[in-house]
């Protein structure tokens, strides 16, 4: 049985937005910006030393998406496109901005094999498998709550009704699941952490 990956609902929503984005639709661009910009910020602020640099980075990432909108394949994952642009621009910022050379060297060494977009597309799929493997280690009920929320995009209220539990119990399961996943992800590479922050 295949394990569920990123939410099909989210994929379909992104696909519709990308199709209109390719035509120059500003509303679609704003929707994608509001959906993902805070996640890019949250990841970047942990690794860059200046908040203004992080804000500049987020703006640059989404300006790049706007500039390259006609190159996006609406039939493929927007997540992969965003992941590629984000990774490559963060690599550039690390080179220029981060003073901790050990951290820079670690980042560049880990991500160098994936600076090529084709290799990164393959890596994107393997990253999803890594995160799914960690999710599988959650207790059964907690794992079910997490997957219903993150993979199927179901609201906490609907999860509570479906599983016949309190909404507060759903929230507790999600908080504990995310805490566990963050702890486990600290053992993983920058790529896995970036993937998780952007898409979960």
């Amino acid at each position: 049985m295949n394990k569920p990956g990123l939410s099909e609902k989210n994929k379909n929503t992104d696909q519709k937005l990308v199709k209109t984005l390719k035509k120059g639709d500003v509303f679609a661009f704003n929707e994608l910006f509001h959906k993902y910009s805070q996640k890019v910020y949250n990841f970047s602020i942990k690794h860059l030393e200046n908040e203004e640099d992080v804000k500049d980075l987020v703006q640059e990432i989404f300006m790049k998406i706007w500039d390259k909108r006609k190159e996006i394949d609406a039939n493929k994952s927007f997540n992969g496109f965003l992941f590629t642009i984000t990774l490559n621009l963060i690599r550039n910022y690390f080179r220029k901005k981060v003073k901790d050379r050990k951290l820079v060297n670690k980042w560049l060494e880990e991500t160098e094999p994936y600076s090529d977009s084709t290799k990164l597309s393959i890596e994107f799929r393997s990253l999803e498998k890594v995160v799914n493997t960690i999710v599988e280690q959650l207790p059964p009920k907690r794992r079910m709550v997490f997957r219903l929320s993150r993979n199927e995009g179901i609201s906490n209220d609907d999860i509570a009704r479906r599983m016949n539990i309190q909404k507060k119990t759903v929230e507790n399961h999600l908080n504990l699941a995310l805490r566990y996943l963050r702890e486990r992800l600290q053992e993983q590479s920058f790529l896995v952490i970036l993937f998780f922050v952007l898409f979960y």
Side-chain angles (χ1 to χ4, degrees):
M1 179 178 176
N2 292 330
K3 298 181 180 68
L6 297 173
S7 166
E8 288 302 319
K9 181 179 179 181
N10 284 339
K11 286 180 180 178
N12 292 337
T13 300
D14 286 353
Q15 190 176 53
K16 291 176 183 177
L17 289 172
V18 167
K19 285 180 178 178
T20 53
L21 171 66
K22 286 170 67 70
K23 299 175 183 177
D25 188 288
V26 175
F27 174 79
F29 174 79
N30 286 337
E31 285 291 298
L32 291 167
F33 178 84
H34 288 304
K35 183 174 181 179
Y36 290 110
S37 60
Q38 188 62 45
K39 294 181 178 183
V40 174
Y41 178 92
N42 290 343
F43 175 80
S44 304
I45 196 68
K46 295 178 182 178
H47 301 293
L48 297 176
E49 298 171 333
N50 185 288
E51 185 175 3
E52 290 305 313
D53 287 340
V54 175
K55 291 178 180 178
D56 289 344
L57 172 63
V58 173
Q59 285 190 333
E60 187 173 352
I61 287 169
F62 282 90
M63 286 308 299
K64 183 78 72 175
I65 289 171
W66 176 258
D67 291 341
K68 291 181 173 289
R69 63 189 182 278
K70 293 182 180 178
E71 300 175 22
I72 306 175
D73 187 341
N75 296 315
K76 293 184 179 179
S77 169
F78 173 75
N79 291 337
F81 184 80
L82 172 64
F83 187 79
T84 301
I85 288 177
T86 301
L87 177 65
N88 286 330
L89 286 178
I90 289 178
R91 279 173 57 82
N92 292 339
Y93 264 70
F94 257 61
R95 286 194 187 98
K96 294 185 292 185
K97 299 287 187 178
V98 178
K99 296 176 183 177
D100 184 340
R101 299 317 301 173
K102 288 184 179 179
L103 183 61
V104 173
N105 291 337
K106 177 179 172 60
W107 167 266
L108 294 177
E109 182 179 341
E110 286 186 1
T111 59
E112 179 61 35
Y114 311 109
S115 55
D116 175 83
S117 60
T118 302
K119 292 179 181 178
L120 189 54
S121 176
I122 296 171
E123 178 67 7
F124 182 83
R125 292 191 291 273
S126 70
L127 292 174
E128 188 172 356
K129 292 179 181 178
V130 170
V131 174
N132 279 331
T133 298
I134 297 174
V135 170
E136 280 299 301
Q137 296 167 7
L138 293 168
K141 184 171 286 189
R142 189 165 302 156
R143 182 172 65 243
M144 182 182 294
V145 169
F146 182 83
R147 289 204 181 283
L148 288 172
S149 173
R150 293 305 193 266
N151 298 137
E152 298 185 30
I154 298 175
S155 70
N156 290 356
D157 286 326
D158 287 341
I159 293 172
R161 282 192 289 270
R162 180 180 294 196
M163 297 183 64
N164 196 28
I165 57 179
Q166 296 294 317
K167 180 181 177 181
K168 185 65 176 177
T169 304
V170 172
E171 293 170 351
N172 288 339
H173 274 306
L174 287 174
N175 288 335
L176 290 170
L178 288 169
R179 183 187 304 170
Y180 173 78
L181 290 166
R182 290 190 189 103
E183 289 173 355
R184 288 298 312 278
L185 287 169
Q186 294 306 314
E187 306 165 8
Q188 302 294 327
S189 69
F190 282 113
L191 288 177
V192 177
I193 296 170
L194 174 60
F195 176 89
F196 180 79
V197 170
L198 285 178
F199 307 123
Y200 279 84

